């Protein structure tokens, strides 16, 4: 028996926001879709290989030297050009235009003095990656550290939940627990799925996000999204899959989606996008199964006054 998803309103104290209407101050909620006939698959342990990270000699900056390299305004590490006032107080180049040519420490005029000595000190330093607590064990030259951290495979991920502006970050195990306990999303084992999305009065909703569903298979986690939005002037639905990991790992998998009714069907096959890309970025790049509203209501049958859309799919690992 299919349990139909229905629209409901969540209280302000609710811990789950499962439907987000971009055009409203008080978002509504759509229950998660019914999962049917999900097939379990054998999971394989996934181990992240850190053997490629070369450890450098432990020539670390002391905390006092690192304090000297901290901008007094933004509190971030300073990189060339590092500016100073006539009294020797330093400031990063990003903050200099915002202090009206006055030293934020002594209020003297800044001028255009470079602190070359501090820049040379910085060039001699080696520092651990700021994502050391997430598992990165590398030591990097001061001026290379920033570039490394922008690409570090251990940098935390943003929460993939699309129904609210969630600010939680963390590694994959942390986010899986957060999605389960914090957002109460549906968690399922298996590589196949059969969803039924139901919405009464679909003509009244143009921007909406149904609750996220997370699948565990092949030792990985995948997020299934279903949203309504405007494609130009046309109201459409889109379904797509995101991979909880980096893009280079996501490319090892493929997925297919199918929707249909009344003897017709549409299919989509693609590669899941990494959750490094936001759900909005994936949606706005149209990287998924796109169904025009009128076609979705045709697939739903009846008098086209209620959305009853069945989406089936499969995830597989490329050989």
């Amino acid at each position: 028996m299919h349990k139909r998803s229905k629209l409901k309103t969540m209280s302000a104290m609710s811990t789950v926001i499962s439907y987000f209407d971009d055009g409203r101050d008080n978002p509504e909620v759509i229950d998660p879709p019914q999962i049917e006939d999900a097939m379990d698959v054998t999971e394989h342990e996934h181990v992240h290989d850190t053997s490629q990270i070369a450890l450098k000699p432990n020539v670390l900056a002391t905390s006092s030297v690192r304090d000297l390299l901290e901008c007094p305004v933004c509190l971030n590490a300073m990189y060339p050009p590092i500016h100073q006032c006539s009294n020797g107080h330093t400031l990063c180049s990003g903050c200099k235009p915002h202090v009206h040519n006055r030293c934020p420490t002594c209020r003297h005029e800044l001028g255009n003095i470079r602190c070359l000595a501090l820049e040379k000190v910085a060039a001699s330093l080696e520092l651990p990656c700021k994502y050391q607590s997430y598992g990165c064990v590398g030591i990097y030259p001061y001026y290379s550290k920033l570039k490394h951290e922008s690409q570090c495979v251990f940098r935390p991920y943003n929460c993939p939940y699309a129904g609210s502006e969630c600010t939680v970050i963390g590694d994959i195990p942390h986010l899986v627990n957060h999605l389960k306990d914090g957002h109460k999303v549906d968690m399922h084992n298996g590589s196949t799925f059969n969803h039924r999305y139901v919405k009464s009065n679909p003509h009244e909703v143009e921007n909406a996000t149904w609750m996220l569903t997370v699948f565990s298979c092949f030792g990985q986690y995948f997020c299934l999204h279903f949203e309504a939005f405007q494609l130009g002037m046309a109201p459409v639905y889109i379904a797509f899959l995101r991979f909880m990991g980096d893009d280079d790992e996501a490319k090892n998998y493929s997925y297919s989606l199918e929707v249909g009714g009344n003897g017709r069907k549409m299919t989509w096959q693609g590669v899941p996008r990494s959750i490094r890309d936001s759900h909005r970025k994936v949606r706005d790049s149209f990287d998924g199964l796109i169904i025009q509203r009128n076609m979705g209501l045709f697939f739903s049958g009846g008098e086209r006054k209620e959305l009853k859309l069945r989406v089936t799919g499969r995830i597989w690992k490329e050989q």
Side-chain angles (χ1 to χ4, degrees):
M1 178 181 294
H2 302 296
K3 181 178 177 183
R4 296 171 40 172
S5 300
K6 59 184 178 180
L7 192 68
K8 63 182 179 181
T9 303
M10 301 295 285
S11 67
M13 298 300 293
S14 172
T15 58
V16 182
I17 302 176
S18 51
Y19 166 86
F20 181 73
D21 185 338
D22 291 338
R24 302 183 183 183
D25 292 329
N26 299 310
E28 299 179 5
V29 177
I30 292 181
D31 278 344
Q34 180 72 24
I35 302 281
E36 303 171 358
D37 303 328
M39 296 175 58
D40 291 335
V41 297
T42 303
E43 295 188 0
H44 304 284
E45 183 180 3
H46 175 70
V47 180
H48 194 92
D49 183 8
T50 60
S51 62
Q52 299 303 314
I53 300 177
L55 291 177
K56 293 191 174 187
N58 194 21
V59 184
L60 300 179
T62 64
S63 59
S64 58
V65 174
R66 279 190 260 184
D67 289 344
L68 288 174
L69 289 165
E70 183 180 272
C71 174
V73 177
C74 66
L75 305 182
N76 292 324
M78 294 186 289
Y79 294 89
I82 298 175
H83 298 277
Q84 69 173 34
C85 72
S86 57
N87 289 327
H89 301 126
T90 54
L91 181 73
C92 78
S93 58
C95 291
K96 185 174 183 288
H98 305 296
V99 297
H100 307 293
N101 204 36
R102 290 288 174 184
C103 173
T105 303
C106 66
R107 309 306 299 168
H108 281 199
E109 186 175 344
L110 274 176
N112 291 301
I113 307 172
R114 288 269 299 271
C115 188
L116 298 177
L118 191 57
E119 291 179 9
K120 290 181 178 180
V121 168
S124 68
L125 300 180
E126 291 183 326
L127 300 170
C129 173
K130 72 176 180 179
Y131 301 125
Q132 189 177 49
S133 61
Y134 289 97
C136 184
V137 296
I139 305 295
Y140 301 93
Y142 185 85
Y143 291 140
S144 302
K145 178 174 174 283
L146 203 60
K147 180 178 180 181
H148 160 76
E149 289 172 347
S150 70
Q151 304 169 347
C152 179
V153 297
F154 292 97
R155 70 191 189 276
Y157 299 87
N158 295 319
C159 173
Y161 192 74
S164 64
E165 298 300 324
C166 184
T167 59
V168 170
I169 63 171
D171 58 17
I172 298 303
H174 174 75
L175 289 182
V176 169
N177 289 328
H178 165 70
L179 289 169
K180 181 167 48 177
D181 300 332
H183 293 294
K184 311 296 183 185
V185 304
D186 275 351
M187 309 288 294
H188 295 276
N189 292 320
S191 59
T192 64
F193 46 89
N194 187 343
H195 278 34
R196 193 175 182 219
Y197 294 97
V198 177
K199 172 66 178 74
S200 59
N201 303 319
H203 293 282
E204 298 178 4
V205 177
E206 294 183 346
N207 295 282
T209 299
W210 273 255
M211 181 178 274
L212 186 71
T213 304
V214 177
F215 295 94
S216 174
C217 55
F218 307 106
Q220 306 289 348
Y221 292 93
F222 300 83
C223 301
L224 179 64
H225 296 259
F226 187 78
E227 304 188 17
F229 73 108
Q230 292 286 120
L231 181 54
M233 298 298 292
V236 299
Y237 302 105
I238 184 171
F240 57 88
L241 201 70
R242 286 200 292 164
F243 174 76
M244 294 189 70
D246 282 335
D247 186 60
D248 57 345
E249 293 181 88
K251 292 175 181 177
N252 295 324
Y253 301 89
S254 296
Y255 74 101
S256 63
L257 298 173
E258 182 177 301
V259 62
N262 290 327
R264 283 88 169 174
K265 69 179 180 180
M266 296 172 60
T267 60
W268 162 268
Q269 180 173 322
V271 176
R273 295 279 287 272
S274 166
I275 59 171
R276 296 285 187 199
D277 292 335
S278 70
H279 80 98
R280 192 178 298 273
K281 180 178 180 180
V282 179
R283 185 198 71 184
D284 292 347
S285 65
F286 319 128
D287 193 0
L289 175 63
I290 297 179
I291 311 136
Q292 291 188 350
R293 180 199 285 166
N294 288 338
M295 183 64 72
L297 295 177
F298 173 74
F299 288 152
S300 301
E303 298 179 357
R304 304 189 183 188
K305 294 182 179 180
E306 184 177 22
L307 181 70
K308 298 178 181 178
L309 205 57
R310 186 182 304 280
V311 178
T312 61
R314 181 172 71 93
I315 306 167
W316 66 92
K317 187 172 183 178
E318 296 291 350
Q319 298 301 321

